Amino acid sequence: MPRSSAAVHVLHDNPEWIPPFRRAFEAEGVPLVEWPLGTGTLDLDAEPPAGVIWSRLSASSHTRDAPLAKDAARSITAWAASWGRRVVGGQHVADLEVSKVIQHAALRRAGFDVPRTVAVFGRDGLIDSAKGIEAPFITKHNQGGKGLGVRRFDDHESFDAYVRGDDFEEAADGITLLQELLVATEPSVTRAEFVGGEFVYAVRVDTSAGGFELCPAEACALPGTSAGADDGAGSGAAPEPMFRIRPEITGEDPLIRRYRSLLADLGIEIAGVEFMTTVDGRTVTYDINTNTNYNPEVEEGLELPAARQIARYLGGLLREEVRNT
């Protein structure tokens, strides 16, 4: 494997999410080559490019004119692995990224408290299936991201009208989740970030503004605002950041250690795991995001940002690949 041509090849479906990582890789001196998902061809008899294959497939890829991205990611990573390439975020990770059912099953099997959930295949069975879920409850799309399909229903009558109406939102894979409504002790959730299977930091995400789209990425920020931040209009106070570090949570926290073991068992090297504490004393884990993005204000305040840690980790894998070839 020639040293001059070896690189980290990043598979992705959203070029707007790449610039922070490109800067981090440049700072670490690690070559990064973009590989857009969902177009082009794949010669299965040709040798993959030299280096490391890193998949950043997003569950919401179909909302960005990339409906074939998930199948492309599965195909490319399986092909690259068959040639002996080092793959981060391979086929099994792609399966988990695009299915909340698979995530829920993995979390439940590992003993985590998860939301009461019913998966409904197709539209026809939704109304009858919801009768077994106590109101209020929410819906989600199985292939989610960006809060896709997340709606709250305070009674079954309004849900029935929604399912029968023209505003019904079809899930990309036809699977809708019916899920208990979790009420947090305070308007926030926590996201624990891991790189190379090791804990990086935990971020508190303020949910007081309502809604379910909690994108932390640089590309999600409006001009002149923090990504997702409340503008504090009319309060007379400085705006409260939507994302901030929870320094009291460390790698020795029992829950973090359990997450680390879970990711190791699942073969996931880079991920964010989201959880919340409810008013009835539960700590509920509800999402594993293998296409993790980082809030720029949070990253800027750190001596070693998570994006740089990814660049270092993948750079180390790249150097190992070069040595072994």
Side-chain angles (χ1 to χ4, degrees), residues 104-147:
H104 187 282
L107 289 165
R108 183 203 54 78
R109 181 180 181 184
F112 292 94
D113 191 345
V114 291
R116 162 77 173 130
T117 305
V118 174
V120 183
F121 300 85
R123 185 173 181 174
D124 293 343
L126 278 168
I127 291 176
D128 285 341
S129 297
K131 293 176 182 177
I133 303 290
E134 184 179 353
F137 61 91
I138 64 172
T139 60
K140 289 181 179 179
H141 287 178
N142 180 55
Q143 183 178 338
K146 303 200 308 181

Tab-separated table of all heavy atoms in Angstrom, residues 104-147:
chain	number	residue	atom	x	y	z
A	104	HIS	N	-33.304	-0.594	19.558
A	104	HIS	CA	-34.100	-0.921	20.734
A	104	HIS	C	-33.812	-2.354	21.190
A	104	HIS	O	-33.627	-2.616	22.390
A	104	HIS	CB	-35.589	-0.757	20.389
A	104	HIS	CG	-36.524	-0.889	21.544
A	104	HIS	ND1	-36.878	-2.107	22.086
A	104	HIS	CD2	-37.202	0.049	22.261
A	104	HIS	CE1	-37.722	-1.918	23.088
A	104	HIS	NE2	-37.946	-0.623	23.213
A	105	ALA	N	-33.742	-3.285	20.224
A	105	ALA	CA	-33.488	-4.683	20.555
A	105	ALA	C	-32.117	-4.860	21.213
A	105	ALA	O	-31.972	-5.609	22.189
A	105	ALA	CB	-33.590	-5.542	19.294
A	106	ALA	N	-31.108	-4.153	20.679
A	106	ALA	CA	-29.755	-4.258	21.239
A	106	ALA	C	-29.703	-3.682	22.647
A	106	ALA	O	-29.062	-4.252	23.544
A	106	ALA	CB	-28.763	-3.538	20.326
A	107	LEU	N	-30.347	-2.551	22.858
A	107	LEU	CA	-30.362	-1.920	24.185
A	107	LEU	C	-31.118	-2.783	25.201
A	107	LEU	O	-30.656	-2.983	26.327
A	107	LEU	CB	-30.994	-0.532	24.096
A	107	LEU	CG	-30.169	0.534	23.380
A	107	LEU	CD1	-31.034	1.740	23.024
A	107	LEU	CD2	-28.988	0.975	24.246
A	108	ARG	N	-32.280	-3.279	24.797
A	108	ARG	CA	-33.070	-4.111	25.712
A	108	ARG	C	-32.311	-5.379	26.089
A	108	ARG	O	-32.276	-5.764	27.260
A	108	ARG	CB	-34.408	-4.464	25.054
A	108	ARG	CG	-35.350	-5.278	25.952
A	108	ARG	CD	-36.368	-6.060	25.151
A	108	ARG	NE	-35.746	-6.900	24.131
A	108	ARG	CZ	-35.148	-8.063	24.387
A	108	ARG	NH1	-35.077	-8.518	25.629
A	108	ARG	NH2	-34.598	-8.759	23.417
A	109	ARG	N	-31.687	-6.014	25.086
A	109	ARG	CA	-30.946	-7.245	25.360
A	109	ARG	C	-29.809	-7.001	26.334
A	109	ARG	O	-29.495	-7.866	27.167
A	109	ARG	CB	-30.414	-7.829	24.054
A	109	ARG	CG	-29.650	-9.129	24.241
A	109	ARG	CD	-29.131	-9.670	22.924
A	109	ARG	NE	-28.415	-10.914	23.112
A	109	ARG	CZ	-27.799	-11.568	22.149
A	109	ARG	NH1	-27.819	-11.089	20.900
A	109	ARG	NH2	-27.157	-12.700	22.391
A	110	ALA	N	-29.189	-5.819	26.258
A	110	ALA	CA	-28.072	-5.486	27.146
A	110	ALA	C	-28.538	-5.024	28.523
A	110	ALA	O	-27.706	-4.702	29.377
A	110	ALA	CB	-27.206	-4.410	26.504
A	111	GLY	N	-29.847	-4.971	28.748
A	111	GLY	CA	-30.364	-4.653	30.073
A	111	GLY	C	-30.654	-3.191	30.337
A	111	GLY	O	-30.908	-2.817	31.488
A	112	PHE	N	-30.638	-2.355	29.303
A	112	PHE	CA	-30.943	-0.942	29.497
A	112	PHE	C	-32.450	-0.721	29.560
A	112	PHE	O	-33.232	-1.455	28.927
A	112	PHE	CB	-30.344	-0.099	28.363
A	112	PHE	CG	-28.846	-0.050	28.378
A	112	PHE	CD1	-28.096	-0.939	27.620
A	112	PHE	CD2	-28.177	0.868	29.171
A	112	PHE	CE1	-26.719	-0.908	27.643
A	112	PHE	CE2	-26.793	0.913	29.197
A	112	PHE	CZ	-26.057	0.020	28.432
A	113	ASP	N	-32.860	0.276	30.324
A	113	ASP	CA	-34.257	0.687	30.356
A	113	ASP	C	-34.549	1.419	29.051
A	113	ASP	O	-33.888	2.410	28.716
A	113	ASP	CB	-34.499	1.616	31.551
A	113	ASP	CG	-35.981	1.875	31.808
A	113	ASP	OD1	-36.809	1.583	30.920
A	113	ASP	OD2	-36.303	2.398	32.893
A	114	VAL	N	-35.518	0.928	28.292
A	114	VAL	CA	-35.864	1.494	26.995
A	114	VAL	C	-37.344	1.855	26.987
A	114	VAL	O	-38.131	1.315	27.772
A	114	VAL	CB	-35.548	0.518	25.845
A	114	VAL	CG1	-34.049	0.350	25.673
A	114	VAL	CG2	-36.205	-0.841	26.090
A	115	PRO	N	-37.753	2.759	26.097
A	115	PRO	CA	-39.169	3.134	26.060
A	115	PRO	C	-40.059	1.980	25.599
A	115	PRO	O	-39.662	1.181	24.748
A	115	PRO	CB	-39.212	4.279	25.036
A	115	PRO	CG	-37.796	4.719	24.858
A	115	PRO	CD	-36.949	3.519	25.133
A	116	ARG	N	-41.242	1.889	26.181
A	116	ARG	CA	-42.249	0.938	25.700
A	116	ARG	C	-42.561	1.294	24.255
A	116	ARG	O	-42.946	2.410	23.932
A	116	ARG	CB	-43.496	1.052	26.569
A	116	ARG	CG	-44.775	0.480	25.976
A	116	ARG	CD	-44.813	-1.028	26.058
A	116	ARG	NE	-46.128	-1.525	25.623
A	116	ARG	CZ	-46.299	-2.479	24.727
A	116	ARG	NH1	-45.245	-3.048	24.148
A	116	ARG	NH2	-47.501	-2.897	24.393
A	117	THR	N	-42.368	0.331	23.339
A	117	THR	CA	-42.440	0.625	21.908
A	117	THR	C	-43.130	-0.504	21.162
A	117	THR	O	-42.897	-1.681	21.437
A	117	THR	CB	-41.018	0.827	21.328
A	117	THR	OG1	-40.338	1.840	22.071
A	117	THR	CG2	-41.087	1.243	19.865
A	118	VAL	N	-43.973	-0.124	20.192
A	118	VAL	CA	-44.598	-1.069	19.278
A	118	VAL	C	-44.247	-0.651	17.856
A	118	VAL	O	-44.435	0.510	17.487
A	118	VAL	CB	-46.133	-1.109	19.449
A	118	VAL	CG1	-46.778	-2.001	18.381
A	118	VAL	CG2	-46.509	-1.587	20.844
A	119	ALA	N	-43.698	-1.560	17.072
A	119	ALA	CA	-43.377	-1.290	15.674
A	119	ALA	C	-44.525	-1.781	14.802
A	119	ALA	O	-44.932	-2.946	14.900
A	119	ALA	CB	-42.075	-1.981	15.277
A	120	VAL	N	-45.026	-0.893	13.942
A	120	VAL	CA	-46.154	-1.228	13.085
A	120	VAL	C	-45.688	-1.182	11.628
A	120	VAL	O	-45.183	-0.150	11.168
A	120	VAL	CB	-47.333	-0.259	13.305
A	120	VAL	CG1	-48.527	-0.673	12.449
A	120	VAL	CG2	-47.731	-0.232	14.783
A	121	PHE	N	-45.875	-2.278	10.924
A	121	PHE	CA	-45.427	-2.396	9.541
A	121	PHE	C	-46.587	-2.002	8.618
A	121	PHE	O	-47.574	-2.724	8.502
A	121	PHE	CB	-44.945	-3.811	9.249
A	121	PHE	CG	-43.795	-4.230	10.136
A	121	PHE	CD1	-44.033	-4.759	11.392
A	121	PHE	CD2	-42.487	-4.057	9.721
A	121	PHE	CE1	-42.978	-5.130	12.220
A	121	PHE	CE2	-41.422	-4.422	10.536
A	121	PHE	CZ	-41.669	-4.950	11.787
A	122	GLY	N	-46.449	-0.846	7.992
A	122	GLY	CA	-47.516	-0.333	7.150
A	122	GLY	C	-48.469	0.554	7.921
A	122	GLY	O	-48.413	0.668	9.152
A	123	ARG	N	-49.386	1.158	7.197
A	123	ARG	CA	-50.312	2.135	7.772
A	123	ARG	C	-51.574	1.489	8.340
A	123	ARG	O	-52.149	1.980	9.326
A	123	ARG	CB	-50.675	3.142	6.679
A	123	ARG	CG	-51.535	4.317	7.108
A	123	ARG	CD	-51.653	5.283	5.936
A	123	ARG	NE	-52.441	6.457	6.240
A	123	ARG	CZ	-52.587	7.492	5.409
A	123	ARG	NH1	-51.974	7.476	4.227
A	123	ARG	NH2	-53.331	8.527	5.747
A	124	ASP	N	-51.975	0.370	7.758
A	124	ASP	CA	-53.284	-0.190	8.072
A	124	ASP	C	-53.437	-0.601	9.525
A	124	ASP	O	-54.529	-0.497	10.084
A	124	ASP	CB	-53.565	-1.393	7.168
A	124	ASP	CG	-53.736	-1.004	5.708
A	124	ASP	OD1	-53.961	0.187	5.450
A	124	ASP	OD2	-53.615	-1.894	4.838
A	125	GLY	N	-52.365	-1.079	10.151
A	125	GLY	CA	-52.495	-1.588	11.507
A	125	GLY	C	-52.265	-0.568	12.600
A	125	GLY	O	-52.318	-0.921	13.792
A	126	LEU	N	-52.033	0.675	12.245
A	126	LEU	CA	-51.649	1.665	13.249
A	126	LEU	C	-52.747	1.943	14.271
A	126	LEU	O	-52.485	2.002	15.480
A	126	LEU	CB	-51.232	2.966	12.555
A	126	LEU	CG	-49.799	2.994	12.024
A	126	LEU	CD1	-49.594	4.200	11.106
A	126	LEU	CD2	-48.810	3.043	13.179
A	127	ILE	N	-53.952	2.144	13.808
A	127	ILE	CA	-55.023	2.527	14.729
A	127	ILE	C	-55.292	1.417	15.747
A	127	ILE	O	-55.397	1.670	16.959
A	127	ILE	CB	-56.294	2.897	13.943
A	127	ILE	CG1	-56.071	4.211	13.186
A	127	ILE	CG2	-57.492	3.021	14.876
A	127	ILE	CD1	-57.226	4.637	12.298
A	128	ASP	N	-55.395	0.192	15.280
A	128	ASP	CA	-55.632	-0.912	16.208
A	128	ASP	C	-54.447	-1.115	17.152
A	128	ASP	O	-54.632	-1.384	18.347
A	128	ASP	CB	-55.897	-2.203	15.431
A	128	ASP	CG	-57.288	-2.238	14.809
A	128	ASP	OD1	-58.159	-1.467	15.265
A	128	ASP	OD2	-57.495	-3.023	13.867
A	129	SER	N	-53.228	-0.976	16.643
A	129	SER	CA	-52.038	-1.178	17.480
A	129	SER	C	-51.935	-0.127	18.572
A	129	SER	O	-51.481	-0.411	19.686
A	129	SER	CB	-50.779	-1.151	16.612
A	129	SER	OG	-50.784	-2.198	15.674
A	130	ALA	N	-52.363	1.096	18.270
A	130	ALA	CA	-52.250	2.187	19.241
A	130	ALA	C	-53.174	1.999	20.435
A	130	ALA	O	-52.954	2.598	21.497
A	130	ALA	CB	-52.552	3.518	18.559
A	131	LYS	N	-54.202	1.168	20.289
A	131	LYS	CA	-55.136	0.962	21.393
A	131	LYS	C	-54.441	0.360	22.613
A	131	LYS	O	-54.912	0.516	23.739
A	131	LYS	CB	-56.287	0.064	20.943
A	131	LYS	CG	-57.186	0.714	19.890
A	131	LYS	CD	-58.251	-0.259	19.403
A	131	LYS	CE	-59.117	0.390	18.317
A	131	LYS	NZ	-60.123	-0.571	17.771
A	132	GLY	N	-53.317	-0.320	22.393
A	132	GLY	CA	-52.577	-0.909	23.496
A	132	GLY	C	-51.560	0.024	24.131
A	132	GLY	O	-50.848	-0.373	25.056
A	133	ILE	N	-51.461	1.255	23.629
A	133	ILE	CA	-50.532	2.245	24.161
A	133	ILE	C	-51.331	3.322	24.878
A	133	ILE	O	-52.248	3.925	24.300
A	133	ILE	CB	-49.693	2.886	23.039
A	133	ILE	CG1	-48.935	1.825	22.251
A	133	ILE	CG2	-48.738	3.939	23.613
A	133	ILE	CD1	-47.822	1.157	23.005
A	134	GLU	N	-51.000	3.578	26.126
A	134	GLU	CA	-51.714	4.588	26.897
A	134	GLU	C	-51.375	5.990	26.398
A	134	GLU	O	-50.217	6.305	26.146
A	134	GLU	CB	-51.342	4.467	28.374
A	134	GLU	CG	-52.093	5.417	29.290
A	134	GLU	CD	-51.720	5.241	30.748
A	134	GLU	OE1	-50.975	4.281	31.055
A	134	GLU	OE2	-52.167	6.059	31.573
A	135	ALA	N	-52.391	6.838	26.221
A	135	ALA	CA	-52.177	8.232	25.846
A	135	ALA	C	-51.809	9.044	27.089
A	135	ALA	O	-52.271	8.733	28.192
A	135	ALA	CB	-53.424	8.791	25.187
A	136	PRO	N	-50.960	10.082	26.925
A	136	PRO	CA	-50.338	10.529	25.671
A	136	PRO	C	-49.200	9.608	25.235
A	136	PRO	O	-48.567	8.957	26.056
A	136	PRO	CB	-49.812	11.916	26.017
A	136	PRO	CG	-49.540	11.864	27.484
A	136	PRO	CD	-50.603	10.957	28.056
A	137	PHE	N	-48.954	9.583	23.922
A	137	PHE	CA	-47.877	8.785	23.365
A	137	PHE	C	-47.323	9.516	22.149
A	137	PHE	O	-47.855	10.547	21.722
A	137	PHE	CB	-48.363	7.383	22.982
A	137	PHE	CG	-49.451	7.360	21.938
A	137	PHE	CD1	-49.159	7.278	20.586
A	137	PHE	CD2	-50.790	7.430	22.322
A	137	PHE	CE1	-50.156	7.248	19.626
A	137	PHE	CE2	-51.809	7.398	21.364
A	137	PHE	CZ	-51.491	7.318	20.017
A	138	ILE	N	-46.223	9.004	21.601
A	138	ILE	CA	-45.615	9.626	20.431
A	138	ILE	C	-45.438	8.593	19.327
A	138	ILE	O	-45.469	7.381	19.569
A	138	ILE	CB	-44.246	10.275	20.744
A	138	ILE	CG1	-43.221	9.222	21.160
A	138	ILE	CG2	-44.380	11.356	21.801
A	138	ILE	CD1	-41.811	9.761	21.298
A	139	THR	N	-45.264	9.104	18.119
A	139	THR	CA	-44.879	8.264	16.985
A	139	THR	C	-43.468	8.625	16.561
A	139	THR	O	-42.990	9.740	16.808
A	139	THR	CB	-45.825	8.470	15.786
A	139	THR	OG1	-45.768	9.843	15.368
A	139	THR	CG2	-47.251	8.103	16.148
A	140	LYS	N	-42.802	7.684	15.921
A	140	LYS	CA	-41.482	7.902	15.337
A	140	LYS	C	-41.382	7.078	14.071
A	140	LYS	O	-42.067	6.063	13.924
A	140	LYS	CB	-40.344	7.440	16.282
A	140	LYS	CG	-40.109	8.262	17.512
A	140	LYS	CD	-38.939	7.687	18.301
A	140	LYS	CE	-38.642	8.505	19.547
A	140	LYS	NZ	-37.513	7.918	20.315
A	141	HIS	N	-40.501	7.496	13.165
A	141	HIS	CA	-40.147	6.652	12.030
A	141	HIS	C	-39.024	5.724	12.451
A	141	HIS	O	-38.088	6.134	13.135
A	141	HIS	CB	-39.701	7.495	10.838
A	141	HIS	CG	-40.832	8.206	10.164
A	141	HIS	ND1	-40.641	9.053	9.096
A	141	HIS	CD2	-42.172	8.196	10.400
A	141	HIS	CE1	-41.808	9.528	8.706
A	141	HIS	NE2	-42.743	9.025	9.481
A	142	ASN	N	-39.115	4.468	12.009
A	142	ASN	CA	-38.054	3.518	12.319
A	142	ASN	C	-36.726	3.977	11.729
A	142	ASN	O	-35.688	3.934	12.395
A	142	ASN	CB	-38.413	2.141	11.773
A	142	ASN	CG	-37.349	1.105	12.056
A	142	ASN	OD1	-36.967	0.889	13.197
A	142	ASN	ND2	-36.852	0.460	11.009
A	143	GLN	N	-36.732	4.398	10.480
A	143	GLN	CA	-35.549	5.016	9.883
A	143	GLN	C	-35.690	6.505	10.130
A	143	GLN	O	-36.383	7.212	9.409
A	143	GLN	CB	-35.442	4.734	8.382
A	143	GLN	CG	-34.167	5.309	7.773
A	143	GLN	CD	-34.016	5.004	6.298
A	143	GLN	OE1	-34.596	4.061	5.790
A	143	GLN	NE2	-33.238	5.813	5.594
A	144	GLY	N	-35.054	6.968	11.190
A	144	GLY	CA	-35.311	8.313	11.680
A	144	GLY	C	-34.193	9.292	11.425
A	144	GLY	O	-33.667	9.386	10.337
A	145	GLY	N	-33.771	9.988	12.484
A	145	GLY	CA	-32.852	11.107	12.336
A	145	GLY	C	-33.654	12.367	12.110
A	145	GLY	O	-34.719	12.352	11.483
A	146	LYS	N	-33.196	13.477	12.645
A	146	LYS	CA	-33.845	14.776	12.492
A	146	LYS	C	-35.261	14.798	13.086
A	146	LYS	O	-36.073	15.636	12.713
A	146	LYS	CB	-33.923	15.224	11.031
A	146	LYS	CG	-32.593	15.303	10.310
A	146	LYS	CD	-32.673	16.181	9.084
A	146	LYS	CE	-33.802	15.804	8.175
A	146	LYS	NZ	-33.868	16.661	6.963
A	147	GLY	N	-35.573	13.891	13.976
A	147	GLY	CA	-36.915	13.872	14.537
A	147	GLY	C	-37.980	13.462	13.551
A	147	GLY	O	-39.155	13.826	13.701
